[in-house]
Amino acid sequence: MFDAVRNNKRIVQVFLALITLPFAFFGVDSYMRSDGSGGDVATIGDVKITQQQFQQTLREQQERLRTQMGAQFDPKMLENPEARKAILDDLINQRLLVIEAGKKNMVAGDNAIRQAIGAIEAFKVDGKFSVERYEAALRAQGMSPAGFEAQLRQDLTLQQLAGAIGQSGVVSRSVADRVLALQTEKREVMEVRLSRDAYLGKVKLADDAAKKFYDENAKEFEVPEQAKAEYVVLSMESIAGQLAVTDAEIKAWYDGHKDRFLVPEERRASHVLIASEKLGKDKAKAKAEALLADIRKNPAAFADLAKKNSDDPGSASKGGDLGFFGRGMMVKSFDDATMSLKEGEISGVVESDFGFHIIKLTGIHAAKEKPLAEVRGEIEAELKKAAGARKFAEAAETFSNMVYEQSDSLKPVADKFKLAIKSSDWLARQANPANGALGNEKLMAALFSEDSVKNRRNTEAVEIATNTLVAARLVDYKAKELQPFDGVKASIETLLKNKEAQVLASKDGEARLDALKKGDDKLTWGAARSVSRMDARQLPPPAAQSVFRMETGKLPSYTGGDLPGSGYALYKLTRVDAGEKLDDARKQAMLKQLDNLAAQEEVQLYLAALRSRYKVEINQAALESKDK
């Protein structure tokens, strides 16, 4: 219904895009109380980012990527210096913004939090906010309402800070027009390709070239070690699934928690909003009072007057209808007025931060209690989960002890906890999320350990997820081995010939380009093609940039470049024309892209200024450390 924060949306979007990690909750108190140590990864004035905090963020980012990429995820993709530095930069940016917001006494209010939560579709049932759905959704993510609301408050506070920066990152009209002209400009080019394959016949490899490459790159020809395993999984769910809950226990729990199953009263209202910022406070109030007088004379005209006059675009088209909502979901003055009305009654003029409202109460859903039959399954699942959680801690200790003490077999622990012993296909040492329970890096390290390989003992019980333990046992093993030279000789020779042919094509292409630039054009060019920066599909991606950098003052002009893996290409520019006029929709889309680029530059400058102001220092040794 209302904007939780009124701000410059473009700047806000750029802020949120530049900070690639989901915005993490850092209480300001924790900044001021951070003792730090020589192992701190970075300092921001007196504020520390500890090794523990950095490693936790790194692990969380790994889990997010694991979820997004599935089988394509490689745990080592975040172990390189560039990835670690990028994550640290995001942490530093987040903390800089939170500190700066605190200095400026910015904080999102309770009303903004309520409105933002109420607008999230995932928390709605039949289009209405549901407390039960809200709490269930958070539980599924391992979050509490208090924790989620704290994160949301901080995120909205960031938006306030972003909006306060202003709109200085706007591209001037003259610059925008020039950029658009360049984007639509048409260039007529002709092409000659020098295929790499045409030079293969000229390649002469030394007799020992393949063997030398094999010896110098032996690791590339290793078949990595592999193992087959059997394993068992003990989880809180598996424990809970074996438990029974009686009808009496369910009834007793229901009777003791009836407040949880109370559906609070909800009210449906329509309104007309006259925004203060549009007319000014006095004129807006006067207009609202005049409209109220008209509505009092003809209450049936409320919907029509809302459509014609309301400044709330979300509800005006529906005659002002806001649907059903609970107490506390609207700003206080609006909420209080709505809750005081009788069904069908129309309020006086009600003032809020957004302007002046005329409210009509159109429906009431009285508070009611959900019957036991409706929530029985939910209670049963919760009781099983609670009992499973209690029993899991005890079971986990026994499970861990048994796989260690009876290390020659997984059968005893499987029998005790009624677990299935599962078998894997061939596995590599490198953890792969596609392998499910055996996709854990620590578990793979234990499975491929010297003790496991030599003695075929059970691995230790490894926690692969919250309340989930796995123990495995190696049943078959293949050591890594170097492929024989004779088996890979032909492929090495092909590789070397292709590389050398590419070099020959490049040398020939550069020589021909030099001759063309001196006026010696005796090539047989291909058919002319018309290309633009907006549509360069007829050009190989490596060549596009070169073509659009060509001189246009004197035609024809020439350029060329490598086409990695396929040869070399030469281009002849013969004509340059102004492009076709863009329609309004495409023009506006491109102008928006330019504004976004300007906003990115503005935000980067702002963050750079904050870094300088708060004296950010990075401990390179701690950043490169992989200690957990």
Side-chain angles (χ1 to χ4, degrees), residues 290-571:
L291 278 171
L292 178 60
D294 291 341
I295 291 171
R296 297 282 192 211
K297 294 175 185 175
N298 184 12
F302 190 98
D304 289 337
L305 289 170
K307 288 180 181 179
K308 294 175 183 176
N309 296 281
S310 181
D311 291 323
D312 177 15
S315 66
S317 62
K318 298 179 287 187
D321 182 32
L322 297 168
F324 280 94
F325 51 88
R327 176 176 286 279
M329 293 190 63
M330 301 296 181
V331 294
K332 189 174 188 308
S333 58
F334 190 101
D335 192 68
D336 290 344
T338 304
M339 296 301 166
S340 68
L341 295 174
K342 297 178 181 178
E343 189 167 352
E345 190 176 2
I346 296 170
S347 73
V349 173
V350 177
E351 184 179 1
S352 77
D353 292 340
F354 303 96
F356 297 89
H357 309 262
I358 302 166
I359 307 167
K360 180 179 181 180
L361 187 65
T362 57
I364 298 176
H365 283 164
K368 64 178 182 179
E369 186 178 278
K370 290 183 180 180
L372 175 59
E374 185 178 329
V375 297
R376 188 185 189 285
E378 179 184 336
I379 295 173
E380 182 179 14
E382 188 152 336
L383 288 175
K384 282 187 174 183
K385 184 176 180 180
R390 291 193 299 271
K391 289 185 175 294
F392 178 79
E394 175 186 335
E397 183 176 358
T398 303
F399 179 89
S400 299
N401 290 337
M402 285 188 70
V403 297
Y404 175 75
E405 293 167 359
Q406 302 182 51
S407 60
D408 292 335
S409 173
L410 292 173
K411 191 174 185 303
V413 77
D415 290 343
K416 178 171 181 61
F417 293 103
K418 300 177 183 178
L419 304 174
I421 298 178
K422 301 177 182 180
S423 299
S424 78
D425 201 346
W426 286 106
L427 302 166
R429 175 186 282 268
Q430 185 177 21
N432 184 341
N435 293 331
L438 295 179
N440 179 273
E441 191 171 358
K442 184 177 179 181
L443 183 59
M444 286 296 95
L447 186 65
F448 281 88
S449 69
E450 183 178 358
D451 182 55
S452 174
V453 172
K454 285 186 176 180
N455 302 311
R456 304 294 171 96
R457 294 194 178 108
N458 299 338
T459 68
E460 63 178 319
V462 176
E463 185 176 26
I464 64 167
T466 304
N467 296 327
T468 305
L469 294 175
V470 177
R473 182 171 170 273
L474 190 145
V475 295
D476 202 355
Y477 177 77
K478 293 179 183 177
K480 68 179 179 181
E481 59 180 351
L482 184 64
Q483 298 179 67
F485 172 67
D486 289 343
V488 296
K489 179 181 178 181
S491 61
I492 293 175
E493 288 179 341
T494 298
L495 171 68
L496 295 178
K497 286 180 179 179
N498 285 337
K499 290 174 67 175
E500 185 59 29
Q502 179 69 41
V503 171
L504 293 176
S506 298
K507 288 182 178 178
D508 190 18
E510 289 168 1
R512 295 191 189 207
L513 178 59
D514 186 55
L516 289 169
K517 289 181 176 180
K518 292 176 180 178
D520 184 10
D521 185 353
K522 298 176 182 178
L523 297 179
T524 302
W525 295 93
R529 307 172 185 176
S530 182
V531 297
S532 71
R533 289 175 174 83
M534 291 177 60
D535 184 7
R537 289 173 294 177
Q538 297 185 67
L539 297 173
Q545 286 190 356
S546 295
V547 167
F548 293 115
R549 287 175 180 158
M550 294 172 75
E551 294 293 334
T552 60
K554 183 180 179 181
L555 299 180
S557 63
Y558 302 91
T559 192
D562 281 322
L563 303 178
S566 62
Y568 192 92
L570 294 160
Y571 292 94

Side-chain angles (χ1 to χ4, degrees), residues 257-276:
H257 298 82
K258 285 194 173 182
D259 56 327
R260 174 172 166 177
F261 303 109
L262 182 68
V263 180
E265 178 188 282
E266 291 185 319
R267 296 195 165 206
R268 183 174 188 173
S270 296
H271 81 135
V272 180
L273 168 65
I274 307 301
S276 299

Side-chain angles (χ1 to χ4, degrees), residues 14-36:
V14 172
F15 255 76
L16 299 179
L18 287 177
I19 298 179
T20 56
L21 299 177
F23 197 66
F25 177 59
F26 303 112
V28 174
D29 285 348
S30 69
Y31 292 162
M32 306 311 170
R33 297 172 185 170
S34 177
D35 295 330

